[in-house]
Amino acid sequence: MKVLIVTGELAYSLIKEVVSDSKQEIIVHIVDNTQVAAFLTPRLIINEVKKCFSNQLDEIDMILVPGLIKKGTKEITKELGIPTFKGSTDGADLAMVLNLIGNIDLSEDKPADKLIEEEKRSEAFKFINDFERDTENIKRLLEKPNNILIRNLPVGEDFPMRVLSEIANAPFLSKEALINKCQYFVDSGADMIDIGMAAGEDFSEKIPDLIQTLRPIAGDRPLSIDTLNPNEIRVAAENGIDFVLSLDLGNNSEIKDLLIEKDIPAVLLPTNFSQGKSPKSPAERVESMHQLIKDTEGIRYVADLILDPVNSSSIVESIIACNEFHKTNPAPMFFGVGNVTELMDADSGGVNVLLAGIGMELGVSILFTPEESGKTRGSVYELSTASKMMFLAKHRKSIPKDLGINLVAFKDKHKRNDIILNETDGVEQVEQAEPMKFIRDKAGSFKINVDYKTTVGESRISATHFKKNKPDLVIVGHSAKEVYEEIITKKLVTRMEHAAYLGSELQKAEIAMITGKEYVQDFELFKNPDEFKK
């Protein structure tokens, strides 16, 4: 197949090198007087091809244009009679695109690398969804000792790790706050919802109402209760709780018979908190766990060897304990990921993915987390995504890379290789001599806020207009563009510096809305890393 690649002068040498080993017959052509390929238009490309390839049009099978051009290629295809598609956004990815010709349907509107990403993502979710809907296979897998059913949710080593999200301090929350928190976790991808009680307290009387309030929001997802108090466990068991966190060597004798009678599974802890005992070494944890399993015979259980925070006891020792336990017992295991993320000053995303990967190798079945601090906001979504990544990697027998699903959020997966550093050579550069003097816009001023909801799609940016220090209009939109275009349409800005300021602040607000960062007008969203080097 003969493929004509149309580009600009700055990207030419890179593309020429990238496609040099292609199995296709390639022509790389620079459009006259065009430095930056992204600035090309369909009309420019049509005129250039007619001028330079008028005698070869019948020989060219396909035209690839830069993936970053703004318009689609339908006009080119129609006028030249040659199928024309968008290539990749990064010239360095063109070799991959050429290798896939015939295996993917290129697009007239979407860059080829974006299409490939979408195809991989679609295939990844199809694999997971098909697995989760295969009732015969699920029934067969549930017969194995390493899997159990909690409510209607299959849980175990043969299934994707399930994410259990905790509504911490549930007895102290208003009904509205409970519902909002639960809905947020459901929208974030939680498989199970946990009602977190207060340690050392007895709020048994509140439990029926807590379960009744949360059940409609959780739907068919299992509801669990997080307490060691036998009274609270008893009331929860009598009011339809699906899962209990937790039984240990101190409280199990008071409640195990009821759980067996009602067939409610429980998390087992190798502790005796009533006596202040908690095993430290891997051997002690495994021994205590085996004793508790013996003491609670007849209960369907998930073993929690207790994942320790970094440098408290030892995260390494706790991971070793999980590994040693799993060598002798195939039962589902519990991983308290929040123990690590909440007690480490780092963004949760990478930590959650790494712990999910470790959990997958250990045979973990449940990933448990609250979201009690700003740095861990989004942990449920992150763990839900990480669980899918690890499930795919496990079944594909691959590393968790290029799976179609990823958690690369604040950095880029690939470095751009088609950014030309010398394109401004010889062009004068200037820097600001002094800050502009502030002059109030006679059209008024704005107060910008973000209204965070349970999903980004439901969240909104608002810009309240003030005239003579009194609010007279609120402009609401889902994006910075929606808001600033309405501001311009209503002629609520008259000064260029004010317009530039609003554009900057509204874009910050949109980034905050997407990432979950707290937006405060006139304050930076992100810290400058140079500040940490001093």
Side-chain angles (χ1 to χ4, degrees):
M1 176 179 284
K2 181 178 281 190
V3 181
L4 171 63
I5 298 175
V6 179
T7 187
E9 185 175 331
L10 293 172
Y12 174 76
S13 58
L14 169 69
I15 291 174
K16 192 75 175 172
E17 180 183 349
V18 164
V19 304
S20 60
D21 295 329
S22 175
K23 295 177 182 178
Q24 315 294 341
E25 184 180 348
I26 306 295
I27 303 170
V28 183
H29 179 74
I30 303 172
V31 177
D32 281 348
N33 301 315
T34 302
Q35 289 275 302
V36 181
F39 293 166
L40 289 170
T41 64
R43 181 46 53 186
L44 275 173
I45 293 169
I46 289 167
N47 293 339
E48 183 73 13
V49 173
K50 282 184 174 180
K51 181 179 74 174
C52 300
F53 297 92
S54 58
N55 297 327
Q56 303 177 51
L57 294 181
D58 292 339
E59 301 172 13
I60 297 171
D61 299 299
M62 179 187 294
I63 299 174
L64 290 179
V65 303
L68 288 174
I69 67 169
K70 291 185 177 180
K71 292 187 177 180
T73 63
K74 188 176 292 186
E75 180 185 352
I76 305 172
T77 299
K78 184 177 179 181
E79 188 152 341
L80 296 179
I82 302 171
T84 304
F85 306 104
K86 285 193 172 185
S88 53
T89 53
D90 186 341
D93 291 330
L94 267 175
M96 172 184 66
V97 174
L98 292 168
N99 288 336
L100 289 171
I101 288 177
N103 296 318
I104 61 167
D105 294 325
L106 296 173
S107 171
E108 296 175 329
D109 300 302
K110 290 184 178 180
D113 50 318
K114 303 301 180 187
L115 278 178
I116 294 167
E117 285 180 13
E118 289 176 8
E119 180 66 23
K120 282 186 175 182
R121 183 174 179 83
S122 176
E123 288 179 2
F125 276 99
K126 183 179 185 303
F127 176 83
I128 294 170
N129 290 335
D130 287 349
F131 179 90
E132 297 279 25
R133 292 170 183 161
D134 189 344
T135 55
E136 288 300 316
N137 185 47
I138 290 172
K139 184 178 179 181
R140 180 181 59 81
L141 292 174
L142 284 171
E143 294 173 358
K144 298 171 63 176
N146 54 333
N147 303 311
I148 64 172
L149 195 66
I150 303 178
R151 195 174 173 87
N152 293 318
L153 181 69
V155 174
E157 190 176 3
D158 290 310
F159 298 95
M161 289 176 286
R162 306 306 188 183
V163 179
L164 175 55
S165 51
E166 181 191 27
I167 302 175
N169 298 308
F172 302 107
L173 300 180
S174 67
K175 189 169 184 177
E176 181 183 12
L178 276 170
I179 291 171
N180 287 340
K181 190 75 169 179
C182 186
Q183 187 63 59
Y184 167 70
F185 284 150
V186 168
D187 290 339
S188 297
D191 300 296
M192 313 162 75
I193 304 296
D194 181 59
I195 303 170
M197 303 303 286
E201 302 283 348
D202 190 334
F203 287 101
S204 301
E205 75 283 355
K206 290 193 173 187
I207 289 173
D209 189 52
L210 288 170
I211 294 173
Q212 187 177 7
T213 298
L214 294 172
R215 180 64 76 190
I217 313 302
D220 202 36
R221 293 170 184 81
L223 278 179
S224 65
I225 188 143
D226 190 357
T227 178
L228 287 164
N229 184 321
N231 290 331
E232 291 181 334
I233 294 174
R234 184 175 294 105
V235 172
E238 292 170 347
N239 283 271
I241 205 71
D242 302 306
F243 191 36
V244 169
L245 283 62
S246 303
L247 299 188
D248 76 351
L249 291 164
N251 73 349
N252 76 88
S253 61
E254 297 181 58
I255 201 68
K256 65 179 181 180
D257 291 339
L258 178 61
L259 298 186
I260 292 171
E261 176 190 335
K262 292 187 173 291
D263 193 26
I264 298 173
V267 169
L268 302 186
L269 289 172
T271 59
N272 188 332
F273 279 116
S274 63
Q275 297 181 10
K277 294 180 180 179
S278 183
K280 300 300 181 187
S281 73
E284 289 173 340
R285 296 186 201 213
V286 173
E287 182 181 355
S288 294
M289 182 60 72
H290 284 150
Q291 182 61 53
L292 182 58
I293 291 169
K294 183 178 179 181
D295 292 349
T296 56
E297 186 177 358
I299 288 180
R300 294 184 297 124
Y301 65 91
V302 177
D304 182 3
L305 280 298
I306 306 176
L307 183 63
D308 288 319
V310 172
N311 206 35
S312 62
S313 294
S314 170
I315 188 172
V316 174
E317 294 280 273
S318 57
I319 289 171
I320 290 171
C322 291
N323 193 45
E324 291 302 312
F325 174 79
H326 196 57
K327 287 178 182 178
T328 59
N329 191 320
M333 285 195 298
F334 185 97
F335 223 37
V337 175
N339 292 351
V340 180
T341 53
E342 292 287 354
L343 298 173
M344 177 185 291
D345 278 343
D347 290 328
S348 61
V351 180
N352 279 327
V353 175
L354 178 59
L355 290 174
I358 292 170
M360 181 269 288
E361 288 198 12
L362 291 171
V364 164
S365 302
I366 294 176
L367 302 170
F368 176 78
T369 190
E371 289 189 14
E372 284 301 288
S373 60
K375 65 179 183 287
T376 60
R377 179 177 171 82
S379 281
V380 171
Y381 162 75
E382 291 160 2
L383 287 173
S384 176
T385 304
S387 169
K388 295 178 178 68
M389 289 172 61
M390 300 311 158
F391 187 69
L392 288 167
K394 181 178 178 179
H395 278 266
R396 294 178 183 179
K397 296 180 172 57
S398 72
I399 57 175
K401 183 177 182 292
D402 297 329
L403 298 167
I405 302 174
N406 69 69
L407 268 172
V408 180
F410 296 102
K411 299 184 179 181
D412 293 314
K413 186 175 175 182
H414 302 291
K415 288 185 177 180
R416 288 291 302 273
N417 292 315
D418 62 349
I419 297 175
I420 312 299
L421 299 179
N422 62 355
E423 62 186 34
T424 57
D425 287 355
V427 179
E428 181 184 7
Q429 294 186 9
V430 298
E431 294 183 1
Q432 184 184 49
E434 58 184 44
M436 291 183 69
K437 183 180 178 181
F438 173 73
I439 300 175
R440 187 178 294 277
D441 193 329
K442 63 183 181 181
S445 57
F446 287 90
K447 175 65 176 175
I448 300 169
N449 289 294
V450 176
D451 181 15
Y452 297 95
K453 300 295 185 184
T454 60
T455 66
V456 174
E458 294 175 347
S459 301
R460 290 293 182 269
I461 303 164
S462 66
T464 303
H465 183 254
F466 288 81
K467 188 71 174 178
K468 295 181 179 179
N469 295 324
K470 291 184 178 180
D472 61 356
L473 182 67
V474 181
I475 298 174
V476 179
H478 181 57
S479 67
K481 186 172 184 288
E482 288 178 9
V483 177
Y484 70 63
E485 284 185 349
E486 190 63 18
I487 289 173
I488 293 169
T489 298
K490 293 190 179 301
K491 299 180 180 179
L492 297 176
V493 61
T494 64
R495 298 189 62 83
M496 286 185 67
E497 70 271 25
H498 190 205
Y501 164 80
L502 286 173
S504 173
E505 285 299 319
L506 287 168
Q507 190 61 54
K508 279 167 51 184
E510 183 175 338
I511 292 169
M513 182 179 70
I514 292 170
T515 61
K517 289 279 287 184
E518 182 180 1
Y519 172 78
V520 181
Q521 189 171 347
D522 295 327
F523 286 84
E524 294 301 323
L525 281 181
F526 300 101
K527 293 183 174 67
N528 183 339
D530 287 345
E531 295 176 7
F532 298 96
K533 300 174 185 177
K534 299 175 182 177

